[in-house]
Amino acid sequence: MPRKNARSSPVDHSFQCLQYLRRCGGSARLCSISFSLGVIQTLVNRRLVKVSNKGAGFYVELEELIL
């Protein structure tokens, strides 16, 4: 009998996506990101990233936090 996974919810890759954007200088083209749109939407909802149209395509950019 196959074992059931204890975690039934999908793995959240939002931290890895944030690390990827930091390594890319804070922004990356939306079409070049290999993360799911659900992960990107989660980061947008948390106000950690924003999606903007630069005229040459859509970009995902880190939000700058002013403390």
Side-chain angles (χ1 to χ4, degrees):
M1 180 174 215
R3 294 178 63 188
K4 289 188 177 181
N5 191 358
R7 188 190 321 208
S8 61
S9 64
V11 178
D12 185 21
H13 295 286
S14 58
F15 181 73
Q16 287 87 359
C17 185
L18 287 173
Q19 284 184 328
Y20 175 78
L21 288 172
R22 286 186 189 114
R23 281 184 274 147
C24 289
S27 68
R29 287 188 75 153
L30 185 60
C31 64
S32 68
I33 294 177
S34 61
F35 296 99
S36 70
L37 293 178
V39 170
I40 295 169
Q41 184 64 49
T42 300
L43 293 172
V44 169
N45 291 344
R46 291 184 197 164
R47 295 188 175 141
L48 297 174
V49 300
K50 63 181 177 179
V51 178
S52 59
N53 186 354
K54 299 287 186 182
F58 288 92
Y59 283 79
V60 179
E61 301 174 334
L62 291 173
E63 284 281 346
E64 295 189 23
L65 299 175
I66 301 173
L67 300 175

